[in-house]
Amino acid sequence: MFEPNNQLIESNVGVLLHYMYAEDYGWSVEVYQGPDLVTQHECEWEPRLNVVNKLDVEAADRVLGSALCSFDTARLRLLLDPEDLDQVAELEPAKAFAEAVGLTHFEWLSFEYIYGDIERGQALPEGVIAVLKRDA
């Protein structure tokens, strides 16, 4: 989906979680210990539902502190490998994962939409700060 920042990953000395959620496209997560990728998960639903990489739950729990143990096995299977788009809409797997691991600011924002709002003089969503490039 989106490319991670390799310089940041190579410099990482702790636990790093790269979380990406695009409401109209899919979600993904990569878990790093130091610069090493421990596990990853990617689920896309555009153009069709497809789990590209499936999270190794045991590896994630070793690094993240058993955050995913709060789900029973059947629910976790549905969150990580939904059967159809109706399940994605009902279970909101990206949100459930983010909440389980303790992420606090994970709501979906679109640069293109926000930039368009700025261009039209509309107010930004609460908590969003626009940093615009200064003219040289």
Side-chain angles (χ1 to χ4, degrees):
M1 287 189 196
F2 292 96
E3 294 298 318
N5 181 326
N6 289 327
Q7 185 177 6
L8 174 67
I9 294 167
E10 291 167 8
S11 301
N12 182 43
V13 295
V15 174
L16 178 65
L17 187 139
H18 178 242
Y19 173 87
M20 194 287 306
Y21 171 59
E23 183 177 55
D24 56 347
Y25 183 78
W27 75 285
S28 68
V29 64
E30 296 171 340
V31 180
Y32 295 88
Q33 178 74 56
D36 301 319
L37 179 64
V38 174
T39 186
Q40 62 187 25
H41 185 82
E42 184 177 342
C43 179
E44 56 190 23
W45 42 80
E46 184 62 40
R48 62 181 174 75
L49 184 62
N50 185 31
V51 176
V52 180
N53 295 299
K54 194 164 181 183
L55 190 77
D56 179 336
V57 175
E58 290 180 11
D61 276 347
R62 280 194 304 274
V63 175
L64 300 175
S66 52
L68 301 176
C69 289
S70 62
F71 299 115
D72 63 57
T73 305
R75 180 164 169 82
L76 186 58
R77 183 190 63 75
L78 290 176
L79 290 172
L80 297 177
D81 196 10
E83 295 173 3
D84 55 40
L85 292 175
D86 290 336
Q87 280 186 345
V88 170
E90 177 186 335
L91 298 174
E92 297 182 297
K95 181 179 181 181
F97 179 90
E99 290 173 344
V101 300
L103 297 181
T104 55
H105 300 288
F106 58 85
E107 296 296 326
W108 182 76
L109 294 173
S110 166
F111 169 79
E112 287 83 11
Y113 292 172
I114 288 175
Y115 186 76
D117 289 347
I118 291 170
E119 293 275 304
R120 289 185 294 281
Q122 295 177 357
L124 296 174
E126 184 177 339
V128 173
I129 299 170
V131 179
L132 302 176
K133 188 174 165 182
R134 291 190 327 188
D135 292 331

